[in-house]
Amino acid sequence: MKRLIGLAASLAFFASTAHGAEKWDMPMAYADSNYHTQNGKRFAEAVGVCTGGALEIVVHGGGSLFKGNEIKRAVQTGQAPIGERLLSAHQNENAVFGFDSVPFLASSFEASDKLWGAARGKLDAILADQNLVLLYSVPWPPQGMYFKREINAVADMAGIKFRAYNAATARVAELAEMLPVQVEAAELSQALATGVAEAFISSGSTGYDRKVWEHMSHFYDTQAWLPRNYVFVNADAWNGLDAQAQNCLRSSAMLAEAAGTTRARELTGWYLAQLAANGMSVQAPGEQLMADLTGVGATMSAEWAEAAGAEGAEIIDAYKAD
Ligand code: PCA
């Protein structure tokens, strides 16, 4: 009898897990077809397989569930249990979040990986204080500048309305005497079409996703930095999972970070080729332009070091020591 009760109890348990499988909505900000979003979907599938269906993650791309600038708050407050956001978008909250947008500090994929290795522990801790668990991060390709005409020096940029996506990009605009305006990638095409913005800095990836050749003619491959997206979980939602589900999230996240980074690397040249194939002039910045931007970068590096204080210095030291 005892055994029967035990059996009934365990059957009831399995029934309730199968029945009550947890479903997590995962807002992401960028185009559904973008490799970050596609990678997020594969991550979700891997978690589903690993947990035997006990945790189902449903990705909502393109800012369809929450807009990019709403996603962190939504996850912090538990409106969504998991999400993806541009890490440096939080630079206004804490300068350390902008470690990946310091001009010319880490402008290749190798350097970006190294810098991430140096910064990750700090980000884990800062996010843990905000009720968030950091899972994985994938970089964007190197950032270049898009214009509607030939640009040979920073002086050529004065007065242009410049679309910014974080504090660092707004600062580039200010230092070049342009007029910064914050616009999410999802709204970029519209901002260019309506003249709200006339130039911007981003990867070939976002230029491709938003078909910016309809409005832009020149891309300068400045390789200024590789900003990162990160995927994070509400800490209460995390604590509500059993150890097996947590292990599944961690192991799937490790794979997603490696796969997404590889994909970014593979696509970088392809994206630039698509800009050229659609009529844009894609080129390295000229000598004067590069010298001017190096000057802008030096100012911004000093400002970031000042704002990020001891924590920032530890990241830079660890990066340089590696
Ligand atoms: N694309 C995003 C962030 C960096 C990038 O390459 C954007 O432009 O919003």
Side-chain angles (χ1 to χ4, degrees), residues 47 62 84 192 207 244 248 258 275 307 310:
V47 171
E84 182 203 56
L192 297 174
Q244 198 219 333
C248 285
L275 299 182

Side-chain angles (χ1 to χ4, degrees), residues 21-84:
E22 198 150 346
K23 180 175 162 247
W24 281 10
D25 287 315
M26 178 167 172
M28 298 180 80
Y30 299 96
D32 214 50
S33 58
N34 184 271
Y35 70 91
H36 284 288
T37 317
Q38 292 300 314
N39 191 51
K41 288 187 180 178
R42 279 193 287 273
F43 160 75
E45 279 164 23
V47 171
V49 170
C50 180
T51 60
L55 179 56
E56 184 196 353
I57 298 180
V58 181
V59 168
H60 302 266
S64 58
L65 190 60
F66 290 99
K67 296 215 164 89
N69 58 8
E70 301 166 343
I71 291 175
K72 181 168 178 235
R73 179 127 298 271
V75 176
Q76 263 180 309
T77 56
Q79 290 171 273
I82 187 168
E84 182 203 56

Side-chain angles (χ1 to χ4, degrees), residues 30 86 140-141 143 163 165 183-185 201-203 206 227:
Y30 299 96
L86 184 76
W140 289 93
Q143 305 291 288
R163 174 266 175 166
Y165 62 70
V183 177
E184 285 294 318
I201 183 167
S202 189
S203 57
T206 293

